[in-house]
Amino acid sequence: MVQMMKLTPQYAVLPQPSLEDVAALASAGYQSLICNRYDGEDADQPSADRVAQAARAAGMTFVHIPIASPDISPADAHAMAAALARCPQPIAAYCRSGARSKALYDAAQNMGGHKQYDIVIVGGGSGGISCAASLLKRRRDISIAIIEPSDDHFYQPGWTLVGAGVFTPEHTRRRTQDLIPNGADWIQQHVRAFDPDQKSVSLEDGTRIQYRALVVAAGIKLDWDAVDGLNAALGDHGVTSNYRFDLAPYTRQLARGLKQGTALFSQPPMPIKCAGAPQKAMYLSCHHWEEEGRLGNISVEFHNAGAVLFGVADYVPALEQYIRRYGIDVQFTSKLVAVDGPAKTAVFAQTRGDDVQHVERKFDMLHAVPPQVAPEFIAQSVLADASGFVAVDPATLAHPMWGDIFALGDVAATSNAKTAAAVRKQVPVVAENVLAMLAGHAPVAHYDGYGSCPLTVERGKIVLAEFGYGGKLLPSFPKFLLDGQRATRRAWFLKDRLLPPIYWHGMLKGREWLAKPQKADLGS
């Protein structure tokens, strides 16, 4: 076979191959062949059609992008970039000597406004960074880009404990640049649009990023403006929320300063990030007031837009014990719709049978949780289903229309709880299935809907809810070691001491402790 020059582990160039060389390339593992010659350059040159027939007979993809010289036009570079994005790898390309194929590859990689990667990940939160790390643990030779505009990365499960004075705010924040895995490129921009048919993502500055596989991990949008007056009131007038890094310390300040009066806690309709978090803020505040001997002077109300205390009935009895203990007035189907900060008044739309009543409640402290929706650039894209979130198969997490697109975390239109624990289980599933897809195989791993919600019912005790699709209980530990249906100190130790280092030094580094994906025969 003619001598080849490998430019990357997935791309090589060579002089004009013979038809026998084409079969040898396929035997060597090359899955695609690109011809960069015009027919008739040499008298003894096999035509592109004959090479294409040989390539296809050997099971290879063939693409013809003829160019006359190493002086590459933008149109030729664009055509080559598109071919690199859609062709199975490894790829071999040829011309008379290999020089034009090398120049065309370089132009495709460096053309103004266009880049190409094996895998593009949209979102650099817990899902995106963990997925990149898990992919690179499996294969170091793949190219990965993480598109994430934010300078800072947050351990959001820790904000509940910031609001309780257990963690400091800085305990939950790191610089994004310090968390990007070695081997992945960080593109610090916003995504403007998706073009799945062209395997590309467009950025705000006009750059187009092409991919062989796309992973969407863009999170969820907290719609503060959906509650009239809430955004203006936050951080003042006794209005706070543990759903924001800068406000969690204000929750602590309010809880410690309240001696008497009315404390309101709200929970919006599903879907929301960590459905137990609105209750956690309430229980921890109540426990503080109980220890300080003030609870009897404070009227506590929980306004839940839903119809049940918690979505998995097995954990409700343990929570109801604390509802009774703290004397909390629970109002179901009661949705926060307006806040007047200076007047310290909240308005709730309460559904009672067929009627909806608007009820005003005065407060001294209001812990508000806003409605949550898909990010606009996701909801308005072709990737979204009717909910606005990215459509996926609930088991494989692959898009039902485009098999080279996957989603995980809060942005995926799955019925599981939107928690960091769910992301921890989804990441290896997506990593396995992305690599299987790139190799031309069907998905090899599936997700069972696992999610976990450590419900902090008092300082030092947690009800550790772990469950999957359909509310099936999925405990990580035997019951004698940790009974998740009771409030335990062991569960508190897990959340307080173990989970933060597991997050920073395990999950974000691609270490899949207690998260190995389930393998299944999902068809071929």
Side-chain angles (χ1 to χ4, degrees):
M1 188 170 69
V2 294
Q3 188 173 1
M4 305 175 63
M5 177 171 62
K6 277 196 170 186
L7 303 185
T8 75
Q10 300 298 317
Y11 184 83
V13 299
L14 67 155
Q16 173 70 59
S18 67
L19 299 183
E20 292 75 17
D21 289 335
V22 173
L25 285 169
S27 297
Y30 286 88
Q31 297 189 51
S32 300
L33 183 62
I34 299 175
C35 172
N36 299 132
R37 300 192 75 180
Y38 283 101
D39 285 341
E41 286 186 7
D42 290 331
D44 59 350
Q45 169 191 341
S47 69
D49 284 344
R50 292 183 64 198
V51 177
Q53 291 174 11
R56 290 165 186 149
M60 301 174 73
T61 297
F62 182 84
V63 178
H64 192 199
I65 307 175
I67 58 172
S69 75
D71 185 13
I72 309 300
S73 72
D76 290 333
H78 175 73
M80 187 65 169
L84 293 173
R86 69 176 183 268
C87 286
Q89 296 186 10
I91 299 170
Y94 73 90
C95 56
R96 175 183 287 153
S97 66
R100 276 174 283 174
S101 294
K102 181 181 184 304
L104 191 54
Y105 176 82
D106 291 340
Q109 295 299 302
N110 300 304
M111 59 190 291
H114 296 83
K115 298 181 181 179
Q116 192 263 337
Y117 292 88
D118 291 319
I119 303 166
V120 169
I121 298 174
V122 175
S126 58
I129 288 178
S130 299
C131 190
S134 288
L135 284 162
L136 290 166
K137 284 279 187 182
R138 289 167 167 80
R139 275 188 56 182
R140 297 299 305 181
D141 63 340
I142 52 176
S143 59
I144 298 178
I146 300 173
I147 303 173
E148 171 55 53
S150 303
D151 290 316
D152 294 323
H153 179 103
F154 297 96
Y155 176 58
Q156 295 180 34
W159 292 348
T160 291
L161 296 185
V162 172
V166 179
F167 290 168
T168 64
E170 291 306 315
H171 192 77
T172 68
R173 179 165 67 177
R174 299 283 190 279
R175 295 190 306 172
T176 300
Q177 67 182 31
D178 295 335
L179 301 174
I180 301 296
N182 291 331
D185 290 346
W186 176 27
I187 300 174
Q188 193 176 11
Q189 285 202 53
H190 291 276
V191 169
R192 184 177 64 191
F194 299 93
D195 188 345
D197 293 328
Q198 295 299 318
K199 297 179 180 287
S200 70
V201 175
S202 297
L203 307 182
E204 274 194 333
D205 69 351
T207 301
R208 187 170 65 182
I209 310 297
Q210 294 187 294
Y211 59 81
R212 296 178 61 218
L214 175 68
V215 177
V216 184
I220 197 169
K221 176 186 175 183
L222 276 66
D223 194 0
W224 300 100
D225 290 324
V227 177
D228 186 36
L230 176 57
N231 220 346
L234 286 166
D236 201 358
H237 311 297
V239 183
T240 188
S241 180
N242 285 347
Y243 274 71
R244 254 178 45 182
F245 170 80
D246 60 323
L247 292 176
Y250 189 45
T251 302
R252 175 176 179 265
Q253 176 186 333
L254 291 173
R256 293 198 171 188
L258 189 61
K259 302 295 192 293
Q260 61 183 10
T262 299
L264 306 180
F265 296 82
S266 78
Q267 178 165 322
M270 298 294 282
I272 65 170
K273 180 191 294 287
C274 189
Q279 294 184 56
K280 297 177 193 181
M282 176 176 66
Y283 296 136
L284 287 169
S285 296
C286 286
H287 186 240
H288 172 74
W289 296 326
E290 182 184 64
E291 288 193 317
E292 294 294 312
R294 305 182 211 157
L295 187 58
N297 299 323
I298 298 172
S299 174
V300 181
E301 298 179 13
F302 180 43
H303 290 263
N304 186 347
V308 294
L309 192 59
F310 194 72
V312 182
D314 298 79
Y315 300 105
V316 170
L319 300 178
E320 288 179 333
Q321 291 181 16
Y322 282 88
I323 294 292
R324 292 191 295 269
R325 170 174 158 178
Y326 297 139
I328 298 169
D329 178 9
V330 179
Q331 296 287 323
F332 291 119
T333 62
S334 181
K335 182 174 72 170
L336 180 66
V337 294
V339 176
D340 185 335
K344 288 185 172 290
T345 302
V347 181
F348 296 91
Q350 297 184 338
T351 302
R352 301 293 180 259
D354 295 330
D355 297 329
V356 177
Q357 306 168 354
H358 284 76
V359 177
E360 288 190 358
R361 298 292 296 130
K362 291 287 187 178
F363 63 81
D364 297 281
M365 172 182 175
L366 169 63
H367 182 275
V369 180
Q372 294 164 39
V373 296
E376 289 180 11
F377 77 97
I378 297 292
Q380 296 171 3
S381 77
V382 295
L383 305 184
D385 67 6
S387 71
F389 293 89
V390 179
V392 293
D393 179 278
T396 66
L397 302 177
H399 198 283
M401 184 174 297
W402 295 282
D404 54 2
I405 297 177
F406 299 79
L408 61 87
D410 295 348
V411 80
T414 50
S415 62
N416 62 277
K418 294 185 181 297
T419 66
V423 174
R424 185 172 61 86
K425 290 281 192 172
Q426 292 172 350
V427 161
V429 171
V430 170
E432 291 279 355
N433 289 342
V434 164
L435 295 180
M437 185 279 299
L438 291 179
H441 303 309
V444 295
H446 72 86
Y447 170 59
D448 58 7
Y450 176 87
S452 176
C453 186
L455 291 148
T456 48
V457 289
E458 61 178 282
R459 183 163 177 151
K461 284 190 177 182
I462 279 176
V463 174
L464 182 60
E466 296 180 281
F467 47 92
Y469 287 137
K472 180 182 178 181
L473 301 191
L474 296 174
S476 299
F477 308 97
K479 198 167 187 175
F480 73 85
L481 183 62
L482 199 161
D483 184 355
Q485 293 175 249
R486 297 189 305 109
T488 66
R489 295 192 180 280
R490 289 181 179 179
W492 175 272
F493 180 81
L494 179 69
K495 180 174 178 64
D496 178 28
R497 302 293 180 86
L498 298 183
L499 290 184
I502 287 173
Y503 180 81
W504 295 117
H505 306 299
M507 181 174 162
L508 295 187
K509 303 294 185 183
R511 299 183 176 98
E512 295 164 6
W513 299 325
L514 296 177
K516 294 296 182 183
Q518 298 184 38
K519 298 295 185 70
D521 182 6
L522 299 172
S524 58

